[in-house]
Amino acid sequence: MTAAAGPALELTNHHTGEILALRRIPRGGEIWLEMQGSLPPHREGPPLHVHFVEDEEGTIRAGTISAVVDGREFTAGPGAKLSSPRGAA
């Protein structure tokens, strides 16, 4: 028996306008944290940080994202797949 996805927890940053919806989902016999978010244009997202235990991956659905991962700058648009391995800054 697999666990069903739980309800989303929505977080809003009233300073930046960023909205995140978080929920746990079953995937490949594991429970993953799914995050869907949005950020108004020309606003800064989260500060530099490191995930020590988990990999991070995502898909840009609309707009663009600019970021620095392990010292490499990139910009990506709709449809782009992004990934950051655990331990990457």
Side-chain angles (χ1 to χ4, degrees):
M1 174 188 278
T2 59
L9 169 66
E10 188 169 290
L11 305 171
T12 302
N13 183 322
H14 297 287
H15 297 286
T16 65
E18 181 178 29
I19 299 172
L20 296 176
L22 309 166
R23 69 186 183 127
R24 298 180 201 285
I25 61 167
R27 185 172 173 187
E30 299 177 324
I31 300 297
W32 286 50
L33 179 64
E34 177 187 76
M35 179 176 73
Q36 294 186 8
S38 65
L39 186 67
H42 310 291
R43 296 294 187 114
E44 290 198 22
L48 179 66
H49 62 282
V50 177
H51 294 268
F52 291 102
V53 179
E54 60 277 311
D55 298 323
E56 190 171 3
E57 60 184 45
T59 303
I60 305 303
R61 293 169 62 177
T64 59
I65 185 172
S66 295
V68 178
V69 177
D70 276 348
R72 294 183 312 265
E73 295 184 36
F74 68 90
T75 299
K81 305 266 188 215
L82 307 173
S83 65
S84 178
R86 67 192 79 190

